[in-house]
Amino acid sequence: MNVVLVNPPKSHYDVEELAPPLGLLRLARVAHDLGAAVTVEDYNLLWHLDAQLRSSFYEVATERLLGLDGDIYGFTSMAVDSHVALELVRRVKAKRPEAVVVLGGTHFSSSAAGMQRAFPWVDRIVGGEGEDAFGALLREQGGHSLLGVSRTALPPPLYDVVRFPAYFHVNPLRMVNMEAGRGCRYKCSFCYSPGHYQRVRDFGIDAVIEELSLLPLLGVRHVWFVEDNFLNDPVRAGRLCRAIAEARLGLTWSCYATFPELSASIIDAMAMAGCTEVFSGIDAVGTASERSFHKAFLRGKTPLEVTTKRMVGAGITPTYAFLVAPPSHPAGVNLGITACTALEARCAGAETLLNPLNVYAGALVDSASAYVFAADDVQVRLMMDVPDVVAQNPFAVAHPELFPFHARYVGEDEWHGFLSLSHCLSTLIATYPRTLASLVSTPGVDPVLVAQATLERFGDWSRLMSVDRRPFEQDAGFFVLETLAQGSPASAVLAQERASQGVPLDG
């Protein structure tokens, strides 16, 4: 039996997170141990290596997949690229109807019923964690030719099916993804995780160290712990950090971690173990947002600035994500306080993201109120780094409720204005944080008003998308801030921040 596992393309310019697809490598181990031949087609890698794929993606990718002569094709996705997987499945099934096609991952899992109704060419969608279900599917299809036995533990990745030098060529960080656990003990209303994972659990420390110890032999230098929350159990996480430090593997690493667990002792332990970056979803700022998202990480906790400076001082760069909602959403009233909190974090040394709220099928926020969805691709083009083949989603026209990144749930004018403002706010907070911070005490000045004035300066920005738009926002923002800062100490701060961009003040 031939098993082909497929990862759609995701990134266009930014390759810092490019790594072998961990979920597919675990499924590859399942198939291999059951006696199947396995191939992994990672188009997220191949997009950067093959010019033919970039010019005629669907045609070239389909021919590649058919040439692999799969009996079973398994596709994953990261939600934004689900339609790419669906279109590849449609084309493969048209040529090889006898092949069995299975979809999995958090997005397909959460919207399985709707996906099966809308796209009848899909044979099976695996719900939840996929290793056991995929193994059962292989047994069902392969009969007595698959002689392996069922596993009681999570299968390790099968690294033999990927070419590490190719990944390292595209991403010099020489990175792999890894899990030291699964799930998250928090139940935020906007998140896939609570409905996807069977339970919250941490993997054995000895097993994690054993897997880590193999990576330097493969040329790996950096590890991303991709589980939802590295700090589900801070005591256990501290023990793991000490074990990593004692192993002296020469690896650096990053992780996702929840803010309330970032104590001084855990920060020190993580830094000693080689942690260089922590991604943390602050998400909800303000009472309305906390109520809507079932999350209140900043209320009554250690001040954001204190924890941020502690991490930066330890050599760890924090990246904080903040959720923002359109004006008609209950959480929309908290845009101003969210922007000010993001600004505070940026001034303390953090990287910050303002993420528009998306309504995922199966998430608790999905049932909070009735949404009317319509196809809309502005978010992926304006806010995300994706190839054109990912930005274009014709399936969203008939089924917008199934594609959260290619749809809106409020009116067109409101959605586009909200996205435009969010993008501009992100640019200004990243580029001129100290200037904005020095001006916020001025009556009538706050980051949202500055962003609105910046957008008004050049009128119609609709044709400027993503990376093309940011320099214009930086330039327009400078002139707005220059006027506001005139005659105040903020003027000198602005000059310094402008110079740090390598732009002369008369440029």
Side-chain angles (χ1 to χ4, degrees):
M1 175 182 288
N2 287 333
V3 175
V4 180
L5 301 173
V6 187
N7 188 35
K10 297 169 185 64
S11 64
H12 189 38
Y13 297 106
D14 187 358
V15 296
E16 286 191 358
E17 295 185 10
L18 182 71
L22 176 62
L24 294 187
L25 297 187
R26 292 200 188 281
L27 298 183
R29 173 69 68 179
V30 171
H32 174 270
D33 288 357
L34 287 173
V38 189
T39 303
V40 170
E41 277 281 281
D42 186 359
Y43 292 119
N44 198 33
L45 168 69
L46 295 172
W47 179 267
H48 299 281
L49 298 175
D50 190 335
Q52 288 186 316
L53 272 173
R54 294 193 295 273
S55 62
S56 303
F57 175 78
Y58 284 117
E59 293 76 12
V60 175
T62 301
E63 286 304 309
R64 286 180 63 101
L65 292 173
L66 292 171
L68 293 171
D69 197 28
D71 299 299
I72 294 181
Y73 291 87
F75 289 76
T76 188
S77 89
M78 289 295 289
V80 71
D81 54 358
S82 294
H83 63 288
V84 179
L86 288 164
E87 176 61 13
L88 288 174
V89 170
R90 187 188 69 81
R91 291 175 181 237
V92 168
K93 288 290 284 185
K95 297 287 188 178
R96 283 182 56 83
E98 72 277 12
V100 175
V101 177
V102 57
L103 307 180
T106 52
H107 182 217
F108 285 129
S109 172
S110 68
S111 53
M115 289 283 183
Q116 294 265 210
R117 287 193 300 268
F119 308 107
W121 56 83
V122 175
D123 294 313
R124 191 82 61 88
I125 296 179
V126 172
E129 298 178 59
E131 291 84 7
D132 290 343
F134 189 64
L137 173 67
L138 295 181
R139 290 174 179 281
E140 173 189 315
Q141 297 298 319
H144 295 295
S145 65
L146 298 180
L147 302 177
V149 297
S150 298
R151 291 181 170 273
T152 58
L154 197 66
L158 183 66
Y159 290 125
D160 294 348
V161 293
V162 294
R163 296 182 298 129
F164 277 92
Y167 286 93
F168 299 159
H169 171 72
V170 178
N171 183 0
L173 288 177
R174 304 172 75 92
M175 186 176 80
V176 299
N177 295 328
M178 196 174 155
E179 293 171 298
R182 277 189 174 175
C184 180
R185 65 190 185 91
Y186 292 94
K187 309 298 180 186
C188 305
S189 67
F190 55 86
C191 186
Y192 277 133
S193 183
H196 183 76
Y197 291 103
Q198 299 167 3
R199 65 187 189 281
V200 176
R201 63 200 189 276
D202 294 316
F203 302 150
I205 290 176
D206 290 345
V208 174
I209 297 300
E210 181 179 0
E211 187 173 337
L212 282 171
S213 67
L214 298 175
L215 299 180
L217 303 177
L218 299 172
V220 174
R221 295 176 185 166
H222 189 82
V223 173
W224 187 284
F225 287 104
V226 295
E227 63 262 29
D228 291 319
N229 186 7
F230 186 81
L231 301 180
N232 272 322
D233 180 348
V235 175
R236 178 262 182 192
R239 292 200 301 267
L240 175 58
C241 288
R242 288 190 289 274
I244 294 173
E246 291 168 0
R248 299 182 181 276
L249 300 174
L251 297 168
T252 57
W253 54 276
S254 311
C255 70
Y256 296 96
T258 43
F259 184 79
E261 282 70 48
L262 287 166
S263 64
S265 59
I266 198 67
I267 290 170
D268 291 343
M270 293 168 72
M272 288 291 291
C275 181
T276 57
E277 184 179 13
V278 168
F279 182 95
S280 186
I282 303 296
D283 296 317
V285 180
T287 302
S289 295
E290 292 171 351
R291 185 180 301 115
S292 292
F293 305 146
H294 296 183
K295 192 169 190 175
F297 277 2
L298 298 184
R299 186 186 299 172
K301 309 296 181 184
T302 302
L304 183 64
E305 181 181 11
V306 173
T307 298
T308 302
K309 289 184 175 180
R310 185 174 286 146
M311 280 195 283
V312 172
I316 299 173
T317 300
T319 298
Y320 298 132
F322 299 87
L323 268 182
V324 290
S328 64
H329 188 277
V333 298
N334 288 147
L335 177 62
I337 189 174
T338 302
C340 288
T341 305
L343 176 61
E344 175 191 348
R346 179 73 177 133
C347 288
E351 300 294 326
T352 59
L353 301 170
L354 296 181
N355 292 332
L357 173 67
N358 292 107
V359 179
Y360 302 140
L364 294 176
V365 74
D366 182 34
S367 60
S369 60
Y371 294 98
V372 177
F373 295 92
D376 198 302
D377 66 358
V378 170
Q379 182 178 0
V380 289
R381 294 186 180 280
L382 176 59
M383 309 292 286
M384 307 178 76
D385 169 41
V386 296
D388 282 344
V389 70
V390 177
Q392 298 167 0
N393 182 356
F395 295 138
V397 176
H399 303 284
E401 74 285 354
L402 297 177
F403 302 99
F405 293 106
H406 292 86
R408 52 181 168 80
Y409 50 91
V410 296
E412 182 177 18
D413 289 344
E414 179 185 357
W415 185 243
H416 292 182
F418 161 67
L419 292 178
S420 184
L421 182 61
S422 300
H423 190 277
C424 189
L425 265 173
S426 293
T427 298
L428 297 178
I429 290 170
T431 309
Y432 305 112
R434 292 187 297 119
T435 303
L436 283 168
S438 64
L439 288 171
V440 291
S441 59
T442 304
V445 177
D446 65 50
V448 174
L449 292 175
V450 174
Q452 290 170 337
T454 299
L455 293 173
E456 291 168 2
R457 183 173 178 86
F458 283 112
D460 182 13
W461 297 69
S462 60
R463 294 189 178 184
L464 295 174
M465 293 292 162
S466 194
V467 294
D468 297 325
R469 178 166 177 153
R470 186 142 279 136
F472 286 89
E473 291 174 336
Q474 290 173 328
D475 288 345
F478 169 75
F479 290 112
V480 170
L481 289 169
E482 185 180 44
T483 300
L484 293 172
Q486 192 169 12
S488 75
S491 180
V493 177
L494 177 62
Q496 293 173 352
E497 291 187 317
R498 184 68 165 173
S500 69
Q501 300 174 47
V503 180
L505 292 183
D506 59 352

